[in-house]
Amino acid sequence: MNLRIPGPTPCPEEVLAAGARQMMNHRGPEFAQILRRVTDGLNWVFGSSTDVLSFTTSGTGGLEAAIVNTLSPGDRVLSVSIGSFGDRFKSIAKAYGADVVSYATEWGEAADPAVIARMLDDDPSIKAVLVTHNETSTGVTNPLEAIAREVRARDRLILVDAVSSMSSIPCPVERWGLDVVVSGSQKGWMVPPGLAFVYMSERAWAANAEAKMPRFYFDAAKTRDSLAKLQNPWTPAMSVYYALDKAFELMRAEGLEGIFTRHEAVANYTRERVKAMGLKLVPVDERYASNTVTAVWWPEGVDGKAISRRAREEFGVVLGGGQGKLEGKIFRVGHLGWVHQADVAEALDVVEKLLAEARARV
Amino acid sequence: MNLRIPGPTPCPEEVLAAGARQMMNHRGPEFAQILRRVTDGLNWVFGSSTDVLSFTTSGTGGLEAAIVNTLSPGDRVLSVSIGSFGDRFKSIAKAYGADVVSYATEWGEAADPAVIARMLDDDPSIKAVLVTHNETSTGVTNPLEAIAREVRARDRLILVDAVSSMSSIPCPVERWGLDVVVSGSQKGWMVPPGLAFVYMSERAWAANAEAKMPRFYFDAAKTRDSLAKLQNPWTPAMSVYYALDKAFELMRAEGLEGIFTRHEAVANYTRERVKAMGLKLVPVDERYASNTVTAVWWPEGVDGKAISRRAREEFGVVLGGGQGKLEGKIFRVGHLGWVHQADVAEALDVVEKLLAEARARV
């Protein structure tokens, strides 16, 4: 099977094998060593000098942790949404009683840092900005460093969904001045789903001390205090930690720059190949096209869902579909984590063949 | 290693191997079949004619789901606590703004159904009762069927922490008239941590429609609606589902009655052996002693922590310690999930030997 959805991503065999290790005491000295090594690995990838927290949950749970640990009901926040996951981040804030102001682009577009700057200038009561680094639903990467610069200059908090970017494309949290940054294990980390990672800056911890949104399971302070004893407050997804411990060995051998370069090269190949097939990318400005997932419009009159089904059933190639209003209109090729050009080449060979057949029938 | 803590519990090798399966599309037809089989297995063990929900989280996250999906801030609830996990259930309710009335026993005692009945009669505004089926911190099992009868007769909701009982000792949710019942994958289910299971009765769903506590990740209605399409709303801990699918094969081969009988026999052996060593059980009334975990007082003047450390370092036997106010005063032997008498015998042989040495030195 050639799994080309943007997560869960395929895992190296040795990582899967490491995840099959027998259970141990999650509060014992052996697991403490694993948690230390894994946290060191997270700090390295995030570019953090303080310990990144991990929670047993999905990326969405990590986004909820970001919000409930830094905000209070009634707090005014600016939601920057460029797609389905940006909308989800906003929905979480609303569910917990935040007073949300919206900046939404057309899907396929990136957010404009100047617009965010203006909205913050116009409304000094905005306390925090919610922004997606890499929008998985449209294959667009926001200019996060530039956005963060505007937010930082105005002294607001910036909460970042880096679920599908962190570990695949650069996102140095301290260098860019980010406040809360979330990722998920099933994306670029080459391990199964089950863990979300949450970085919090000093500013975020100061906000945490005042934050009134209710929380228990996702309580960051409890998680930080347990981590100081090299434990989790609750029983963690041990197998994913085992797997991640092994994945970091592979990542350190390749190096962060090597990983970023590989993702960039595979993404460039994907985009060039798609365009050579006469297809149109969803990102309207290719400068913002994602290096972890490529979203492509199905041509007019072609039954994309039927092609996806045939790709899976006849060729074992699993493509991502469109979400929300893009359902049936686009396909997405995930190229993050344990991915090489040959994986994408095989998938696009199949798409090309099936598209030609579909067009011949028209 | 002989892991004798009350969770995470050791997993059969074939279950660990099943968990090492490669990732697939969590929204595709193959995973849908797994989710269907696993949910059928949950329904079978819970004794539910409607689909039990699963969440990627720990048991504590499952308890949070139980509360936020059925209650509103200000709702009056009766917390029945007989130990550390009962206290945690109560803390979650408080964190989300419930108005909590407390019934707490001395640790080691079970709850008295008559006391609960009287408290409900005295305060008709109590909407729900929070109760632990099996209190892991003290090795006491509450008379849940009798408690549920009193709650049912007074038409309140009963929310049950069955994290360390379900699948090991009988807890038929519909027959006993329970409303919300929570378990966790790392206990009697013979799989790694990462999933919590939540049953909701028709009454619980009616309460859900009115419940105002904020929720997003743990939203039961979203989870139910996704499950109807054989999906999870967020990316689930796939490996634990793979493992659980295999574990249900083993459980169905043994049969529920067989599993319950095995747990009862191992628990009886554990208690008789401990008493024969001259040690005292934490449960004050042995009728309520747990069939999944046995809690035992260290004798006066003995350094229990040192014995536990030697058991682990020299013999590979990992015992549970005391939690909260029982730290250093008791040890606990987990005997749930994939457990047989020989496992406990080996652990207690080591405790007996080390105790004799410690006493000889006194």
Side-chain angles (χ1 to χ4, degrees), chain A residues 1 3 5 7-13 16-17 19-27 29-30 56-58 60-61 64 88 91-92 95-96 186-187 191-194 214-218 233-240 312 318-319 323 338, chain B residues 1 3 5 7-13 16-17 19-27 29-30 56-58 60-61 64 88 91-92 95-96 186-187 191-194 214-218 233-240 312 318-319 323 338:
Chain A
M1 184 131 76
L3 185 65
I5 60 173
T9 61
C11 306
E13 285 304 324
L16 292 172
R21 183 172 177 179
Q22 186 53 275
M23 293 301 104
M24 58 176 71
N25 186 353
H26 61 304
R27 305 204 182 278
E30 209 175 354
T56 294
T57 186
S58 76
T60 300
E64 181 162 322
R88 185 180 293 180
S91 296
I92 299 172
Y96 279 86
Q186 80 279 11
K187 301 293 186 180
V191 298
R215 55 191 177 268
F216 192 91
Y217 182 75
F218 289 123
W234 332 120
T235 312
M238 318 267 298
S239 321
V240 188
R312 174 170 52 77
V318 183
L319 302 167
Q323 292 177 300
W338 187 51
Chain B
M1 184 130 77
L3 185 65
I5 60 173
T9 61
C11 305
E13 285 303 323
L16 292 172
R21 185 174 177 177
Q22 186 53 276
M23 293 301 103
M24 58 176 71
N25 186 352
H26 62 303
R27 305 203 182 280
E30 209 174 357
T56 293
T57 186
S58 77
T60 299
E64 182 162 321
R88 185 181 293 179
S91 297
I92 299 171
Y96 278 86
Q186 80 279 12
K187 302 292 187 179
V191 298
R215 53 190 179 269
F216 192 91
Y217 182 75
F218 289 123
W234 331 121
T235 312
M238 318 268 297
S239 321
V240 188
R312 174 170 52 76
V318 183
L319 302 167
Q323 293 177 299
W338 186 51

Side-chain angles (χ1 to χ4, degrees), chain A residues 143-349:
Chain A
L144 183 60
E145 186 176 11
I147 292 171
R149 201 177 300 124
E150 303 298 347
V151 178
R152 203 64 302 123
R154 288 155 184 86
D155 203 23
R156 322 292 171 92
L157 290 175
I158 177 166
L159 278 49
V160 180
D161 171 351
V163 170
S164 66
S165 60
M166 186 65 77
S167 81
S168 304
I169 61 181
C171 184
V173 297
E174 287 184 356
R175 189 137 56 79
W176 288 1
L178 310 175
D179 290 314
V180 187
V181 183
V182 178
S183 190
S185 60
Q186 80 279 11
K187 301 293 186 180
W189 306 87
M190 305 192 294
V191 298
L195 292 180
F197 314 121
V198 180
Y199 161 81
M200 289 174 64
S201 71
E202 263 187 55
R203 291 175 298 268
W205 282 114
N208 177 255
E210 310 292 328
K212 297 275 187 299
M213 284 185 183
R215 55 191 177 268
F216 192 91
Y217 182 75
F218 289 123
D219 192 304
K222 281 197 184 80
T223 303
R224 175 197 57 195
D225 295 348
S226 285
L227 184 55
K229 297 180 289 179
L230 290 176
Q231 295 185 14
N232 296 83
W234 332 120
T235 312
M238 318 267 298
S239 321
V240 188
Y241 280 102
Y242 296 161
L244 192 51
D245 196 21
K246 172 59 72 176
F248 276 128
E249 283 182 26
L250 307 182
M251 291 175 74
R252 287 194 190 270
E254 188 174 4
L256 265 189
E257 282 310 314
I259 294 168
F260 296 157
T261 305
R262 174 168 54 84
H263 279 81
E264 192 180 354
V266 174
N268 279 332
Y269 168 82
T270 308
R271 289 189 287 265
E272 292 311 315
R273 184 73 200 278
V274 160
K275 288 188 288 179
M277 286 159 64
L279 300 178
K280 197 163 159 276
L281 298 173
V282 173
V284 293
D285 183 339
E286 208 177 311
R287 284 178 304 164
Y288 302 115
S290 166
N291 281 347
T292 64
V293 53
T294 295
V296 186
W297 294 104
W298 287 116
E300 283 287 325
V302 160
D303 182 349
K305 281 193 163 180
I307 293 181
S308 284
R309 190 169 50 244
R310 283 193 64 195
R312 174 170 52 77
E313 290 175 357
E314 297 173 31
F315 300 91
V317 168
V318 183
L319 302 167
Q323 292 177 300
K325 59 189 172 192
L326 295 180
E327 200 189 334
K329 297 183 179 165
I330 69 167
F331 68 96
R332 295 177 301 150
V333 181
H335 36 76
L336 72 170
W338 187 51
V339 64
H340 297 86
Q341 184 174 311
D343 305 315
V344 173
E346 188 202 55
L348 292 181
D349 285 350

Side-chain angles (χ1 to χ4, degrees), chain B residues 10-325:
Chain B
C11 305
E13 285 303 323
E14 58 208 293
V15 167
L16 292 172
R21 185 174 177 177
Q22 186 53 276
M23 293 301 103
M24 58 176 71
N25 186 352
H26 62 303
R27 305 203 182 280
E30 209 174 357
F31 189 71
Q33 288 180 11
I34 293 173
L35 186 54
R36 184 64 265 163
R37 280 197 302 269
V38 163
T39 303
D40 287 343
L42 294 170
N43 298 346
W44 167 60
V45 173
F46 275 71
S48 170
S49 57
T50 57
D51 281 348
V52 173
L53 307 178
S54 46
F55 295 86
T56 293
T57 186
S58 77
T60 299
L63 296 179
E64 182 162 321
I67 286 170
V68 300
N69 281 293
T70 52
L71 299 171
S72 299
D75 273 354
R76 204 159 171 82
V77 303
L78 171 58
S79 150
V80 178
S81 176
I82 64 167
S84 160
F85 287 91
D87 287 354
R88 185 181 293 179
F89 207 0
K90 171 180 164 174
S91 297
I92 299 171
K94 280 188 160 175
Y96 278 86
D99 175 18
V100 180
V101 190
S102 278
Y103 165 35
T105 66
E106 289 298 310
W107 288 20
E109 288 177 1
D112 182 349
V115 171
I116 295 169
R118 199 170 58 236
M119 290 181 82
L120 293 179
D121 286 337
D122 286 352
D123 188 346
S125 74
I126 291 173
K127 185 179 168 184
V129 177
L130 313 181
V131 61
T132 318
H133 186 197
N134 185 75
E135 177 53 60
T136 317
S137 66
T138 59
V140 172
T141 303
N142 270 321
L144 183 60
E145 187 178 10
I147 292 171
R149 203 178 299 124
E150 302 297 348
V151 178
R152 204 65 299 125
R154 286 154 185 87
D155 204 24
R156 322 292 170 92
L157 290 174
I158 177 165
L159 278 50
V160 180
D161 170 352
V163 171
S164 66
S165 60
M166 187 64 78
S167 81
S168 304
I169 61 180
C171 185
V173 297
E174 287 184 357
R175 190 137 56 79
W176 288 1
L178 309 175
D179 291 314
V180 187
V181 184
V182 179
S183 191
S185 60
Q186 80 279 12
K187 302 292 187 179
W189 306 87
M190 306 192 293
V191 298
L195 292 181
F197 314 121
V198 180
Y199 161 82
M200 289 175 63
S201 71
E202 263 188 53
R203 290 175 299 268
W205 282 114
N208 177 256
E210 309 293 327
K212 298 275 188 297
M213 284 184 181
R215 53 190 179 269
F216 192 91
Y217 182 75
F218 289 123
D219 193 303
K222 280 197 185 79
T223 303
R224 176 197 56 194
D225 294 348
S226 285
L227 184 55
K229 296 180 290 179
L230 291 177
Q231 295 186 13
N232 297 83
W234 331 121
T235 312
M238 318 268 297
S239 321
V240 188
Y241 280 102
Y242 296 161
L244 192 51
D245 196 21
K246 173 58 74 176
F248 276 129
E249 283 182 25
L250 307 182
M251 291 176 75
R252 288 194 188 270
E254 188 174 5
L256 264 189
E257 282 310 314
I259 294 169
F260 296 157
T261 304
R262 173 168 56 83
H263 279 80
E264 191 179 355
V266 174
N268 279 329
Y269 168 82
T270 309
R271 290 189 287 264
E272 293 311 315
R273 183 71 199 279
V274 161
K275 287 188 288 180
M277 286 159 63
L279 300 177
K280 197 163 159 275
L281 298 172
V282 173
V284 292
D285 183 338
E286 209 177 310
R287 285 178 304 167
Y288 301 115
S290 165
N291 281 347
T292 63
V293 54
T294 295
V296 186
W297 294 103
W298 288 114
E300 283 288 324
V302 160
D303 183 348
K305 281 193 164 179
I307 293 180
S308 283
R309 190 168 51 244
R310 284 194 62 195
R312 174 170 52 76
E313 290 176 356
E314 297 173 30
F315 300 92
V317 168
V318 183
L319 302 167
Q323 293 177 299
K325 58 188 173 193

